[in-house]
């Protein structure tokens, strides 16, 4: 048996994305303080405008692969088109993560957006609930969120192997949104702590962030899945909090223009990496086995992701948000049809 667990733990870093999501939304949406209906509606539309254009692009790019896979399994029958319609619709409306049979039914990374849709829906209410909590309460809630995140995986490991290794049960624990909302909630709590403590920056936080990042990488490579699930949550919490308060080489490098651009394009990278890798394997089979072709694929994927961000995600997001604000403005609502 290999001493490395990288493949087994390869899906765990999405936990960092969920925690970061709660942190960033809390930091960037102070208008949620009053949680008035117009602000909540604008928040929901803003999130839709941010994620859906690239998500839809990934859905479209993956569609021929789904069709060919289902055709190979079921032939060109009525069942093929019924399955295609079912999986397609449930993925388009971001409900796929709710059942083990559909979580990976279309573009695999889409399951996390299915979970994020639930997080976004609950954010105004979680924000209001957590906004005036004391430091002690927020720390206690982060601990409770950690337990809520770890217990399902720990429970699986304690079940008889015939049940604990059941595909449907593992998929349920890994993907169902309600079992992942603790990670998002911990990110909100962490942002409340950060905002309550003056936001002073220091080199010591830069060093601590580097240590937390190193620890997370070591855990992903060397720890079994249960231990990794228990250790990565606190490592990610420390990493993100320290980066927010860091001033030094690591934070400076991450804040440089090239790294900011890569960060902005990372969503497109994440959504497109699976379908583009499937196509790459069809054209260049060695991309899955040889380092040089794989590196070439990563460079092409990075370029495509940056292009998608600059030409699709960014302009469409800005257009949709502007159109929404215009449609909701009193002048637009009251202006008569014959006005010039």
């Amino acid at each position: 048996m290999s001493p490395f667990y990288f493949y087994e733990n390869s899906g765990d870093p999405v936990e960092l994305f969920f925690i970061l999501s709660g942190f960033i939304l809390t930091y960037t949406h102070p208008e949620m303080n009053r949680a008035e209906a117009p602000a909540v509606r604008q928040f929901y539309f803003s999130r839709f405008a941010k994620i859906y254009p690239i998500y839809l692009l990934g859905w479209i790019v993956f569609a021929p692969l789904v069709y060919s896979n289902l055709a190979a399994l079921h032939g060109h029958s009525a069942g093929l088109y019924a399955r295609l319609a079912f999986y397609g619709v449930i993925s388009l409306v971001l409900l796929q993560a709710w059942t083990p049979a559909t979580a990976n039914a279309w573009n695999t990374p889409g399951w996390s957006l299915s979970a994020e849709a639930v997080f976004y829906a609950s954010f105004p209410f979680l924000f209001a609930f957590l906004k005036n909590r004391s430091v002690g309460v927020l720390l206690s809630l982060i601990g409770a969120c950690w337990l809520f995140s770890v217990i399902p995986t720990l429970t699986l490991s304690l079940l008889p192997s015939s049940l604990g290794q059941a595909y449907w049960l593992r998929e349920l624990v890994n993907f169902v949104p309600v079992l992942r909302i603790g990670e998002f909630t911990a990110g909100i709590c962490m942002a409340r702590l950060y905002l309550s403590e003056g936001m002073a920056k220091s080199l010591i936080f830069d060093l601590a962030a580097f240590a937390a990042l190193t620890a997370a990488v070591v855990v992903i490579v060397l720890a079994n899945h249960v231990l990794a699930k228990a250790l990565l949550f606190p490592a990610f919490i420390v990493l993100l909090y320290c980066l927010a308060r860091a001033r030094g080489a690591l934070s400076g490098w991450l804040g440089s223009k090239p790294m900011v651009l890569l960060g902005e394009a990372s969503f497109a990278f994440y959504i497109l990496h699976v379908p583009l890798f499937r196509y790459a394997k069809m054209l260049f089979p060695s991309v899955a086995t040889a380092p040089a072709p794989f590196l070439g694929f990563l460079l092409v994927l990075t370029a495509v992701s940056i292009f998608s961000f600059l030409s699709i995600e960014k302009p469409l997001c800005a257009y949709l948000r502007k159109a929404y604000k215009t449609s909701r403005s009193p002048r637009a609502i009251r202006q008569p049809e014959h006005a010039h």
Side-chain angles (χ1 to χ4, degrees):
M1 181 180 291
S2 171
F4 302 112
Y5 292 87
F6 178 79
Y7 181 78
E8 184 181 353
N9 298 325
S10 60
D12 288 348
V14 76
E15 191 171 272
L16 174 63
F17 172 65
F18 289 160
I19 297 171
L20 178 62
S21 180
F23 183 95
I24 293 294
L25 289 181
T26 303
Y27 184 78
T28 57
H29 288 277
E31 74 275 10
M32 289 293 104
N33 264 323
R34 305 180 75 176
E36 295 175 344
V40 172
R41 286 195 297 268
Q42 184 170 332
F43 167 76
Y44 287 153
F45 188 84
S46 177
R47 298 320 300 163
F48 169 82
K50 179 69 175 70
I51 70 166
Y52 208 79
I54 290 297
Y55 177 79
L56 182 60
L57 174 65
W59 188 96
I60 293 169
V61 171
F62 210 93
L65 297 171
V66 178
Y67 178 84
S68 62
N69 289 342
L70 289 175
L73 289 171
H74 306 287
H76 295 276
S77 62
L80 162 67
Y81 297 103
R83 288 179 174 87
L84 195 64
F86 173 71
Y87 292 139
V89 170
I90 203 170
S91 300
L92 280 174
V93 296
L94 294 171
L95 292 176
Q96 66 268 45
W98 284 97
T99 72
T102 58
N104 292 315
W106 207 272
N107 186 12
T108 308
W111 80 267
S112 63
L113 276 298
S114 181
E116 283 283 341
V118 176
F119 304 163
Y120 296 157
S122 63
F123 175 70
F125 309 101
L126 289 170
F127 187 104
F129 176 73
L130 295 169
K131 67 179 180 180
N132 293 320
R133 302 297 170 181
S134 67
V135 170
V137 169
L138 291 171
L139 289 173
S140 298
L141 286 172
I142 290 174
C145 289
W146 172 73
L147 285 174
F148 187 73
S149 173
V150 171
I151 285 173
T153 301
L154 178 61
T155 302
L156 273 187
S157 71
L158 298 176
L159 293 174
S161 58
S162 58
L163 184 59
Q165 295 300 316
Y167 174 81
W168 69 270
L169 196 53
R170 287 188 288 110
E171 296 291 278
L172 193 71
V173 166
N174 287 332
F175 298 124
V176 70
V178 71
L179 295 181
R180 308 303 299 263
I181 200 167
E183 297 150 24
F184 178 75
T185 304
I188 299 175
C189 292
M190 188 174 62
R192 299 311 313 175
L193 287 171
Y194 172 71
L195 292 169
S196 70
E197 293 177 0
M199 298 179 285
K201 297 183 181 292
S202 168
L203 176 62
I204 190 67
F205 288 108
D206 199 77
L207 298 175
F210 182 78
L213 177 61
T214 303
V217 172
V218 170
V219 166
I220 290 170
V221 174
L222 297 180
N224 65 53
H225 187 56
V226 177
L227 187 58
K229 188 69 177 177
L231 295 178
L232 284 176
F233 188 106
F236 289 152
I237 287 285
V238 172
L239 171 63
L240 292 178
Y241 181 82
C242 290
L243 280 177
R245 299 195 61 180
R247 183 180 62 193
L250 178 60
S251 57
W253 176 66
L254 291 175
S256 64
K257 288 185 178 180
M259 292 305 297
V260 169
L261 178 60
L262 288 175
E264 291 173 328
S266 63
F267 178 55
F269 186 101
Y270 174 67
I271 290 296
L272 296 174
H273 80 278
V274 171
L276 293 187
F277 187 68
R278 297 277 185 90
Y279 287 118
K281 281 201 300 182
M282 293 178 186
L283 297 172
F284 310 102
S286 63
V287 75
T289 56
F294 182 69
L295 179 60
F297 166 74
L298 288 180
L299 293 174
V300 171
L301 174 60
T302 301
V304 170
S305 301
I306 293 172
F307 175 81
S308 299
F309 168 71
L310 293 175
S311 63
I312 299 174
E313 180 182 338
K314 188 176 180 178
L316 272 180
C317 180
Y319 172 80
L320 290 171
R321 288 176 175 177
K322 183 178 180 181
Y324 178 82
K325 288 182 179 179
T326 301
S327 70
R328 305 302 297 181
S329 68
R331 183 179 178 182
I333 292 171
R334 288 198 292 263
Q335 184 169 334
E337 292 181 4
H338 62 273
H340 297 286

